[in-house]
Amino acid sequence: MNGQVVFDPLVPWPLIWGMAALAAAFIGVALWRGFAGWWLRALAALAVLAAVAQPSLQREDRRALSDIVILVVDESASQKISDRAEQTASAVARIEAEVAALPDTELRKITVGDGAEDAGTLAMTALSQALAEEPRARVAGAILISDGQVHDLDLAPDMPAPLNVLLTGHDSDWDRRLLIKTAPAFGIIGEPLSLTLRIDEEGRMPAAEAGRRVTLQIAIDGGEAEAYSVPVGEDLDLPLVLDHGGQNVIQLTLETAEGELTDRNNMAVVQINGVRDRLRVLLVSGEPYAGERTWRNLLKSDSAVDLVHFTILRPPDKQDGVPVSELSLIAFPTRELFVEKIKEFDLIIFDRYRLRGILPSAYLDNIRDYVETGGAVLVSAGPDFASVESLYHSGLGDILPARPTARVIDGPFLPRVSALGERHPVTEGLETFAPEGGEAGTVGDPHWGRWTRYIDLTDPIGQVVMDGPDGAPLLILNRVGEGRVALLGSDQAWLWARGFEGGGPQLELLRRLAHWMMKEPDLEEEALTATAHGNVLTITRRTLEEGGREVTVTAPDGTSTQLALQEAAPGRFEADYAAPDLGLYRLSDGELERVTALGPAAPREFEETIATEERLDPAVTPTNGGFLSLEDGAPDVRVVREGRPAAGRGWIGITPRGAYQTMDIRVSPLLPAWLFLLIAAGLSIAAWLREGRR
């Protein structure tokens, strides 16, 4: 039960205060004039003012509410180092027992893990959310069990009660860490690049360890590691040269010293995407025709391609009587292109080229050798390919993936992606790039236009990814030695670009074809890749073969897991793997191997591992809270008055809030209004009588 006097005035308070001032003036005059009943007049005025203000007695039935203590437990990765998990568990048990022993006090326990996307420990965010869910008037204090390495201090809440921090770890802890300061996201193949790294020492370093040179091992793509002796406390530039496209995984491992707090920050994994500086393409057109510009426009539109294009306008056998000195032509630099600088090109395209004596047979043999040692040749065949002047009858014929039958079929036909082509990245899903409104024949035919000429090919070698009339091979891909070769059995792809019968995905087809030949990693038909989403690795196996697939995943700690891959699309098998830890993972299906890194180069949780008060001090000190080390044991929990220090040696304090819930309110007047008026009248009469006797 609780009571207090409340007022419900009949007139506004300013008017009452005006009446009081007027009454005070009259009483002052009475006192000045020496009236003996001035004090009776004052009491009468006070009674009138009380009648107008209507004082009442308010009684409340209250139910006391318990105080709330918020316990935030840091269970992030850095809290699993050494014996910090045991320290945390012991402290939680002690705090729970201490709070349970306090009268009318409840405990709210909140657990904080690693923040998403390497955000670190978000303890202040968790504390703010807990405060938002509880009445602030009931919060008697908050306790944080952590190593002090909190990464969201800017979100620290305005505490209504003390905040105390129980620090895990030991005063003797020391650690050495590997820090990647700068790392490029990509690098040009064959050109030098550098990583900037640093080795730092923290904590109370033993005299035998402080400042000595340490061993750093560097491995690329899971290969054999090379060891280097490096100093500590200095920025080090590590030169690298990437030798292949796609992801290059660089693993750096620092030696682990005896007594070091953890070796989790002694390793860093950096993924750098290898790219070509410029892709150099040589396009040789045998003669001008309607589709010549198709190839030129395609290659010129790609900013990553340097194109050298020659069109043979006047072959040596042409006799028209025009002096050579009067022709606006340049001599075809055959020796420079096909002997001296041939290895500088990534791809050579022959577009309707025929043997006319311009390229000697020795040069064509040199092109064949260029392919076998890693180059690429694409032949877009026209009627010339079926003639006696065909490239097939040169040294290039040894590597071409099909033989011409000397038949040229003039007439419309619908190019189709073959069954194998549905699995090959060059033609996979090509139908989805068909333009709207394209032509289609029978049910199941692609919605694109027809071509009107086909060079009959036979005895295909390699992968037939597109079919021509009656299922004949149209586009054939093959690997020769270390290089690649492709043969397109028609010169009519330009009809798609011109919108004939609705057109077709000519740009996408030729772009993929050219980049596959230039060994674009994303277009490899046999590939094993992995992409990370949080702590989940999505493993993808591309293959031209059919049947189930399995992959072996080797975790950083050496444990292996067998995963069955499911076919997500033709030629594409996938599976998700929940990775237990950050680090380098090795993938193998018996044919291909791949290494991939999960997590950043330097996880935030392990950037600094020594327990500290510095980060949290701005949030703790204003609340009168403090820091206690769990190395000395878990503290007692005491009750302290508001505004007093809430931490001491071996104890922490909470501030009782005395919060309550009002169950019922009763209001009754102190005196009836008529009684106030009667009292005022009596006092006035008494004053008159007293003053009348004088």
Side-chain angles (χ1 to χ4, degrees), residues 69-223:
V69 177
I70 299 174
L71 176 61
V72 180
V73 182
D74 179 4
E75 293 186 356
S76 59
S78 62
Q79 280 288 87
K80 299 178 176 63
I81 296 174
S82 185
D83 62 344
R84 293 180 182 180
E86 290 77 11
Q87 287 182 322
T88 299
S90 177
V92 169
R94 178 62 178 270
I95 296 299
E96 289 176 338
E98 288 285 311
V99 173
L102 295 175
D104 299 325
T105 306
E106 300 179 33
L107 184 68
R108 301 284 191 269
K109 179 182 174 183
I110 302 163
T111 300
V112 180
D114 294 336
E117 299 181 358
D118 194 38
T121 302
L122 306 182
M124 294 297 101
T125 299
L127 181 57
S128 298
Q129 292 174 348
L131 280 174
E133 295 174 359
E134 304 293 346
R136 291 178 63 88
R138 295 180 59 189
V139 176
I143 304 170
L144 171 61
I145 302 178
S146 173
D147 56 7
Q149 300 293 352
V150 173
H151 303 103
D152 61 343
L153 190 61
D154 55 329
L155 299 178
D158 180 18
M159 288 294 300
L163 170 62
N164 289 289
V165 178
L166 307 183
L167 288 173
T168 58
H170 299 275
D171 187 56
S172 60
D173 286 342
W174 64 276
D175 192 29
R176 186 181 286 130
R177 64 169 178 155
L178 173 62
L179 176 65
I180 303 298
K181 300 193 69 174
T182 61
F186 64 91
I188 298 173
I189 298 173
E191 294 191 7
L193 56 89
S194 66
L195 304 177
T196 302
L197 55 92
R198 182 183 179 90
I199 300 168
D200 286 334
E201 296 177 338
E202 301 174 334
R204 296 192 174 184
M205 297 292 299
E209 292 289 340
R212 73 175 180 87
R213 295 179 69 88
V214 294
T215 300
L216 179 67
Q217 292 187 330
I218 304 172
I220 300 178
D221 290 333

Side-chain angles (χ1 to χ4, degrees), residues 240-262:
L240 293 172
V241 177
L242 306 181
D243 60 0
H244 67 84
Q247 287 293 338
N248 292 257
V249 181
I250 295 92
Q251 182 180 9
L252 302 101
T253 306
L254 184 66
E255 67 170 303
T256 302
E258 184 178 356
E260 191 174 353
L261 182 60
T262 177

Side-chain angles (χ1 to χ4, degrees), residues 499-522:
F500 177 69
E501 294 185 345
Q506 167 264 347
L507 180 63
E508 182 67 17
L509 172 62
L510 299 185
R511 184 194 67 80
R512 289 189 193 178
L513 179 58
H515 281 269
W516 175 83
M517 302 202 68
M518 291 184 285
K519 302 179 182 179
E520 178 70 30
D522 291 340

